[in-house]
Amino acid sequence: MTAPRRRSLFKPCIDLHNGEVKQIVGGTLHEGDASRLKTNFVASHPSSYYANLYKEHNLEGGHVIKLGPGNDQAAKEALAVWPGHLQIGGGITAHNAQEWLDAGASKVIVTSYLFPEGRFALDRLKAISAAVGKDRLVVDVSCRRRDDKWLVAMNKWQTITDMEVCRESLDLLAEYCSEFLIHAADVEGLCQGIDEELVARLGEWVTIPTTYAGGAKSVSDLETVDRLSGGKVDLTYGSSLDIFGGNLVKFEDLVKYNNEALQQPSR
């Protein structure tokens, strides 16, 4: 008899922009041009409210993302609610990573720091991994599709780097980190469905825990991700979720799904 395999889980998020919890359309966040930003939701609750909500339902492995400046205080307030259980990303470098772990982050998430001028720098990856330890590092390989490939995107997903998301690149990165976070920037915030082909490829390629974000619009997307990835990839919901002003997915349904998945793994 084969051992039960893990099932894909819902992983929560807190996206911060100008100190507020927001849901935005991923491809519209431009440096210095606020007029192009498309916002789906601005929360009336502070970041700490969402952190406490995730704590109450024991939703481990969520991520707090700082989208630009002015978010440090809101991020620290969220981390303080549930120290050691939320990850932090946005402006993370080898020089400030430990500060965020000290502030209560379980792990730090890094992207742009690894790609000076859009070119992957292995020495920077080695430096931040050595600074915080592989077990405390998540690499965000958020990407945009170009023809039949996915290329890592940085600077709020506006700059395409020289790294293709593929088995070889993920194997290299996995030597120095313990987890991947992957935003499919082309579908982020649109509530028009996940990038199923990317999820399936990730299921083939990844060897460490991986969370996908982008386009989720139904509880059944969790089952789809589980099937396509063989339970290797978890799923984040944003603009479709009722706690973020959406009307497509109920937070309580995702909590129920997680509880059942943790109790009854697939075979």
Side-chain angles (χ1 to χ4, degrees), residues 15 17-18 21-31 33-42 67 144 156-158 185-192 239 244:
D15 292 348
H17 183 255
N18 291 338
V21 177
K22 294 184 182 180
Q23 284 294 312
I24 65 169
V25 178
T28 68
L29 190 57
H30 291 262
E31 202 78 63
D33 188 359
S35 65
R36 299 172 70 179
L37 178 67
K38 293 183 180 179
T39 303
N40 288 333
F41 172 76
V42 180
L67 297 169
R144 306 196 79 152
K156 306 178 189 67
W157 308 314
Q158 296 307 312
D186 295 316
V187 297
E188 175 84 6
L190 297 179
C191 299
Q192 294 177 0
S239 298
F244 296 130

Side-chain angles (χ1 to χ4, degrees), residues 2-21:
T2 58
R5 70 157 171 84
R6 82 178 295 277
R7 289 174 61 184
S8 298
L9 298 174
F10 160 59
K11 296 289 177 146
C13 67
I14 301 173
D15 292 348
L16 299 172
H17 183 255
N18 291 338
E20 296 177 303
V21 177

Side-chain angles (χ1 to χ4, degrees), residues 5-9 225-234:
R5 70 157 171 84
R6 82 178 295 277
R7 289 174 61 184
S8 298
L9 298 174
V225 169
D226 182 67
R227 173 176 53 81
L228 291 173
S229 73
K232 291 183 178 180
V233 176
D234 294 324

Side-chain angles (χ1 to χ4, degrees), residues 13-237:
C13 67
I14 301 173
D15 292 348
L16 299 172
H17 183 255
N18 291 338
E20 296 177 303
V21 177
K22 294 184 182 180
Q23 284 294 312
I24 65 169
V25 178
T28 68
L29 190 57
H30 291 262
E31 202 78 63
D33 188 359
S35 65
R36 299 172 70 179
L37 178 67
K38 293 183 180 179
T39 303
N40 288 333
F41 172 76
V42 180
S44 57
H45 297 295
S47 60
S48 56
Y49 167 86
Y50 291 94
N52 190 63
L53 185 65
Y54 303 156
K55 178 182 179 181
E56 287 179 351
H57 292 91
N58 199 33
L59 293 169
E60 294 280 359
H63 52 273
V64 179
I65 302 294
K66 299 183 291 153
L67 297 169
N71 296 305
D72 284 3
Q73 185 58 37
K76 289 178 179 177
E77 289 173 2
L79 297 177
V81 170
W82 201 17
H85 295 272
L86 292 168
Q87 304 169 1
I88 183 75
I92 302 297
T93 71
H95 309 292
N96 65 20
Q98 188 60 51
E99 170 192 338
W100 286 102
L101 294 176
D102 293 342
S106 59
K107 299 183 181 186
V108 289
I109 305 168
V110 65
T111 312
S112 297
Y113 172 73
L114 303 181
F115 295 90
E117 299 181 352
R119 297 178 181 273
F120 175 62
L122 180 58
D123 59 327
R124 288 195 172 194
L125 176 59
K126 290 180 177 179
I128 193 168
S129 183
V132 301
K134 174 179 178 178
D135 291 345
R136 307 293 297 275
L137 183 64
V138 180
V139 173
D140 184 337
V141 282
S142 295
C143 56
R144 306 196 79 152
R145 189 160 187 161
R146 293 294 182 265
D147 299 320
D148 61 344
K149 300 178 180 179
W150 293 271
L151 299 176
V152 177
M154 55 177 263
N155 287 340
K156 306 178 189 67
W157 308 314
Q158 296 307 312
T159 302
I160 304 297
T161 73
D162 64 349
M163 177 176 278
E164 179 183 349
V165 180
C166 61
R167 188 189 305 274
E168 291 73 22
S169 61
L170 294 175
D171 281 349
L172 172 62
L173 296 171
E175 293 182 36
Y176 301 97
C177 68
S178 58
E179 194 168 333
F180 293 131
L181 174 62
I182 300 181
H183 291 86
D186 295 316
V187 297
E188 175 84 6
L190 297 179
C191 299
Q192 294 177 0
I194 62 174
D195 185 336
E196 294 191 9
E197 188 176 350
L198 176 57
V199 170
R201 294 290 178 272
L202 292 173
E204 298 172 9
W205 296 337
V206 299
T207 57
I208 58 176
T210 299
T211 297
Y212 165 94
K217 62 176 183 177
S218 167
V219 176
S220 65
D221 284 333
L222 265 169
E223 297 167 357
T224 300
V225 169
D226 182 67
R227 173 176 53 81
L228 291 173
S229 73
K232 291 183 178 180
V233 176
D234 294 324
L235 181 62
T236 290
Y237 288 75

